[in-house]
Amino acid sequence: MPGSTLGVGIIGVSPVRGWAATAHIPALRALPKYEIRALSAHTAESARAAGEAFGVRAVFSDHEQLLTRPDVDVVAVTVKAPLHRELVSAALAAGKAVYCEWPLGRDLDDERSPRPPPSRGFARSSGCRPARPRRSSSSKS
């Protein structure tokens, strides 16, 4: 719908540290067509603290509760990489558009497994930053 605001839910928010607090929330607040409507954290205490810190009333310690909210259109997954695939898959299954930074899998086998299907007619997009070459132990700093 042109001119409408998209509701965002963030899974993996901390009130004081992490990508959600330091990058995603400030960036989303700067965009006029996005509104942060729900937060999910590892514990109820952390979820309440994040809600207070960021002025969001709908807070959960269970990501499934966030995913059932009809006012959440887009889910940002900001947890550590080992949980990316599980949470992205759950959000897509709930019919949400999803933003998640790389990697989707924990290891190469996980990365090679089939991608979760896109939801509600949203196009699937997959991207990642190029890996930095590792320095050999013999290279000098």
Side-chain angles (χ1 to χ4, degrees):
M1 202 181 311
S4 66
T5 301
L6 290 174
V8 179
I10 301 175
I11 298 175
V13 67
S14 163
V16 294
R17 67 185 186 327
W19 285 110
T22 60
H24 298 291
I25 290 173
L28 287 164
R29 286 192 168 152
L31 299 170
K33 295 194 176 194
Y34 293 86
E35 179 183 352
I36 301 168
R37 296 185 180 156
L39 303 174
S40 173
H42 184 67
T43 66
E45 181 181 337
S46 185
R48 277 191 300 277
E52 288 175 17
F54 302 117
V56 178
R57 284 190 227 160
V59 296
F60 308 99
S61 60
D62 178 359
H63 70 275
E64 292 290 341
Q65 291 176 300
L66 181 146
L67 296 177
T68 62
R69 293 188 59 90
D71 63 337
V72 170
D73 305 297
V74 180
V75 173
V77 176
T78 64
V79 299
K80 293 185 187 254
L83 296 175
H84 284 180
R85 178 176 290 281
E86 173 190 343
L87 296 171
V88 167
S89 295
L92 290 171
K96 308 298 182 184
V98 179
Y99 170 81
C100 181
E101 292 191 12
W102 67 279
L104 187 56
R106 294 169 293 194
D107 54 33
L108 192 55
D109 287 337
D110 205 14
E111 279 291 319
R112 287 181 176 152
S113 64
R115 299 275 186 217
S119 66
R120 283 196 290 171
F122 288 97
R124 176 175 44 219
S125 177
S126 196
C128 61
R129 296 188 284 195
R132 289 188 210 136
R134 291 187 178 186
R135 291 181 157 197
S136 68
S137 58
S138 63
S139 64
K140 296 182 182 182
S141 303

